[in-house]
RNA sequence: GCGGUGGUAGCUCAGCCGGUAGAGCAGGGGACUGUGGAUCCCCGGGUCGCGGGUUCGAGUCCCGUCCACCGCCCCA
């Protein structure tokens, strides 16, 4: 045999049940999003690399070491998108979606790419379904967006606990950063190696380090919520108030910081206790549109990890019942079976026409093997009498029925 | 990127101190000439992940490499 070509590391096929799970997650999320009047945008997978550097942040891990970057034939640096928000913002600006002066609610879905070590629930090509709201600073939007996320997870039957925090704005975050940095410097020798490195670059990250010593230091660290300016504080209080009004349960986590630079004010994460991983996360990014060359536009959004949600699905909705049409006999029978199968499909019945030849026993074995619920025998006797043999393979009972009755029964079973 | 575990039949795995590969399930055929999940009989199937080394001889030992999984970092 010739050499087998395999998938690239971290890339994979979704086959059979995996494909159905993927579809179920995406379709379910889409239905909820459409009920909230979000509109789909279909975005490119490749963007100029600088888009991500400027939005996510030069110094973040995602940009620094996880992007698939390459040079195109014109010598431009392009990248496979590592997340969806940057592209959505770029599209919002490029298509001038701000022009009518209202706010815009968009969603997208598709593959993202990060060059990381693959493991369970983490692949180099993974999929996200994301939602973005452009053009409102109203905390009602924050609460409703989180509520929407909550509804998607509940509809999927996925359990996750919600954590929220506020990261402040241009006015208050620098003040907090200074205070935190001062505090962390005093305790530098208690921090792990990684965190000492983080100190200058991204001191907020130290707060959610899992190393014992760092956690102790973080416990006593100044909390951002104590440093919020009036506007941010009010915003944060309102978001919590509205969430409670919606009946969405949450816990406040002052150490929740997120790894991307563009966040302001509200940030949130839904964490699955079963996976020990975040399945959906997002927040507000009030300066990003402006920073990417658009008009000043407050905005917020989230992204859900499709693969992670797939791992948490308890059950898939069943496929509709399957009938196998079994031709038994000569050419005339095959012609009839072709027509019969087509008519059944036209009536909405999931139908497989058996291409097997030979003993009828083999035909039934085939029907059984592919998981059929019914077998419909089209043989010489059926042609003569006009009565078709319909067998319920689960109950192991069969009847000879006129075609109209066969259709009626199968349609009923399919509904 | 770092650490750990593992790759043997389609699948799950066994294979001892190195002596040239096995089980169960799955698959194909039959017992059973228009009826499937049970039973019995028969059968096919393997570059032991890949490359190199040690050895008279390597699935087994050594080195490298690829891949998967788990943890770390990070993240959806």
């Amino acid at each position: 045999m010739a050499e087998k070509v395999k998938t690239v590391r971290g890339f994979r096929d979704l086959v059979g049940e995996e494909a159905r799970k993927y579809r179920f997650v995406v379709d379910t999320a889409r239905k909820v999003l459409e009920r909230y009047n979000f509109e789909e945008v279909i975005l490119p997978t490749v963007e100029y690399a600088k888009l991500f550097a400027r939005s996510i942040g030069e110094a973040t891990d995602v940009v620094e070491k996880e992007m698939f970057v390459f040079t195109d034939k014109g010598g431009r640096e392009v990248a496979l998108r590592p997340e969806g928000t940057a592209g959505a913002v770029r599209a919002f600006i490029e298509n001038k979606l701000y022009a009518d002066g209202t706010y815009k609610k968009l969603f997208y879905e598709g593959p993202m790419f990060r060059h990381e070590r693959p493991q369970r629930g983490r692949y180099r090509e993974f999929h996200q379904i994301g939602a973005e709201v452009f053009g409102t600073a109203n905390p009602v939007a924050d609460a409703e967006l989180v509520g929407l996320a909550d509804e998607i997870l509940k509809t999927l039957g996925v359990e996750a606990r919600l954590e929220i925090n506020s990261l402040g704005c241009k006015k208050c975050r620098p003040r907090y950063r200074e205070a935190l940095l001062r505090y962390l410097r005093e305790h530098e020798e208690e921090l792990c190696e990684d965190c000492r490195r983080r100190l200058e670059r991204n001191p907020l990250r130290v707060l959610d380090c899992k190393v014992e010593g760092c956690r102790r230091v973080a416990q006593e660290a100044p909390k951002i919520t104590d440093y919020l300016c009036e506007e941010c504080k009010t915003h944060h209080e309102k978001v919590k108030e509205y969430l409670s009004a919606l009946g969405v349960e949450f816990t406040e986590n002052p150490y929740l910081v997120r790894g991307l630079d563009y966040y302001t004010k509200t940030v949130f994460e839904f964490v699955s206790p079963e996976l020990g991983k975040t399945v959906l996360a997002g927040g507000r990014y009030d300066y990003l549109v402006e920073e990417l060359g658009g008009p000043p536009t407050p905005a917020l959004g989230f992204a859900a990890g499709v693969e992670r949600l797939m791992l948490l699905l308890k059950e898939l909705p069943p496929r509709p019942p399957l009938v196998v049409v079994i031709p038994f006999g000569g050419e005339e029978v095959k012609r009839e079976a072709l027509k019969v199968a087509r008519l059944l499909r036209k009536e909405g019945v999931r139908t497989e026409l058996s291409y097997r030849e030979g003993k009828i026993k083999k035909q039934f074995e085939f029907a059984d093997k592919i998981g059929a619920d019914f077998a419909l025998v089209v043989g010489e006797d059926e042609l003569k009498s006009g009565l078709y043999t319909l067998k319920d393979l689960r109950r192991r009972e069969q009847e000879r029925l006129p075609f109209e009755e066969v259709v009626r029964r199968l349609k009923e079973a399919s509904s």
Side-chain angles (χ1 to χ4, degrees), chain A residues 216-232:
Chain A
R216 265 202 313 275
V217 173
Q219 290 287 320
E220 304 295 319
K223 291 184 171 46
I224 180 127
T225 33
D226 296 330
Y227 284 76
L228 295 178
C229 63
E230 274 313 303
E231 187 196 325
C232 286

Side-chain angles (χ1 to χ4, degrees), chain A residues 145-387:
Chain A
L145 186 78
V146 174
L148 158 61
D150 180 68
E151 199 172 324
I152 289 172
L153 297 178
K154 291 218 163 73
T155 308
L156 287 168
V158 166
E159 277 185 52
R161 59 162 205 279
L162 168 61
E163 300 188 347
I164 68 165
N165 192 22
S166 174
L167 295 183
C169 64
K170 268 181 188 158
K171 285 195 293 249
C172 47
R173 190 167 359 168
R175 249 181 27 225
Y176 171 67
R177 200 189 136 105
E178 279 311 307
L180 179 65
L181 204 51
R182 237 186 345 265
Y183 168 83
L184 291 177
R185 285 221 180 89
E186 284 166 26
H187 298 269
E188 193 167 346
E189 61 294 344
E190 297 163 55
L191 298 174
C192 73
E193 212 180 301
D194 284 336
C195 283
R196 276 180 230 175
R197 226 175 331 103
R198 284 181 188 129
L199 218 54
E200 299 305 321
R201 245 181 51 182
N202 198 347
L204 297 208
R205 285 231 65 86
V206 177
L207 294 179
D208 71 349
C209 182
K210 279 108 200 155
V211 176
E212 173 67 19
C214 305
R215 293 182 63 160
R216 265 202 313 275
V217 173
Q219 290 287 320
E220 304 295 319
K223 291 184 171 46
I224 180 127
T225 33
D226 296 330
Y227 284 76
L228 295 178
C229 63
E230 274 313 303
E231 187 196 325
C232 286
K233 191 181 243 164
T234 308
H235 187 94
H236 191 48
E237 291 304 318
K238 285 291 173 192
V239 172
K240 290 189 287 180
E241 187 186 319
Y242 298 146
L243 277 177
S244 299
L246 273 175
V248 175
E249 284 181 33
F250 62 89
T251 56
E252 272 202 88
N253 178 358
Y255 307 117
L256 178 63
V257 298
R258 321 253 46 247
L260 316 179
D261 284 357
Y262 52 62
Y263 286 116
T264 55
K265 291 197 171 84
T266 310
V267 289
F268 60 94
E269 273 184 13
F270 285 85
V271 180
S272 157
E274 188 184 326
L275 266 187
K277 282 180 173 137
T278 303
V279 295
L280 185 156
R284 194 167 258 290
Y285 46 93
D286 285 344
Y287 309 125
L288 186 56
V289 175
E290 189 176 3
E291 281 166 8
L292 291 177
T297 308
L300 63 159
F302 70 73
V306 177
E307 280 80 357
R308 289 184 181 181
L309 293 172
M310 284 164 63
L311 289 171
L312 295 169
L313 289 184
K314 294 293 173 262
E315 56 185 33
L316 275 175
R319 301 182 76 189
L322 173 66
V323 57
V324 174
V325 174
I326 297 176
F328 189 68
E331 284 304 308
E332 197 185 351
V333 154
K334 286 179 195 161
R335 288 196 292 269
E336 176 67 9
L338 272 167
K339 286 194 280 187
V340 162
R342 182 160 168 154
L343 280 168
L344 289 174
R345 290 163 183 150
K346 196 175 163 195
E347 295 294 337
V349 179
R350 182 159 69 108
T351 306
E352 177 77 30
L353 172 59
S354 170
Y355 305 147
R356 290 263 165 128
E357 306 261 345
K359 293 181 182 169
I360 197 157
K361 181 184 169 64
K362 292 291 163 201
Q363 300 275 26
F364 275 86
E365 281 175 9
F366 170 69
D368 189 42
K369 206 173 289 181
I370 67 171
D373 300 280
F374 298 94
L376 182 66
V377 179
V378 179
E380 318 275 2
D381 298 352
E382 282 78 3
L383 284 199
K384 265 186 224 122
S385 64
L387 294 177

Side-chain angles (χ1 to χ4, degrees), chain A residues 63-122:
Chain A
V63 167
E64 214 168 49
K65 48 186 214 197
E66 294 171 2
M67 273 212 295
F68 281 88
V69 184
F70 49 95
T71 312
D72 73 4
K73 289 189 175 172
R76 290 167 290 252
E77 291 260 287
V78 297
L80 299 181
R81 60 181 181 188
E83 58 107 48
T85 299
V89 171
R90 196 225 77 239
F92 173 80
I93 297 166
E94 196 162 337
N95 294 284
K96 300 184 170 57
L97 299 183
Y98 46 80
D100 68 6
T102 67
Y103 49 86
K104 281 281 174 291
K105 303 196 297 187
L106 308 175
F107 78 90
Y108 58 84
E109 169 268 314
M112 307 293 163
F113 306 84
R114 288 182 200 173
H115 197 108
E116 297 178 278
R117 183 86 156 214
Q119 56 182 259
R120 184 179 163 83
R122 192 175 65 198

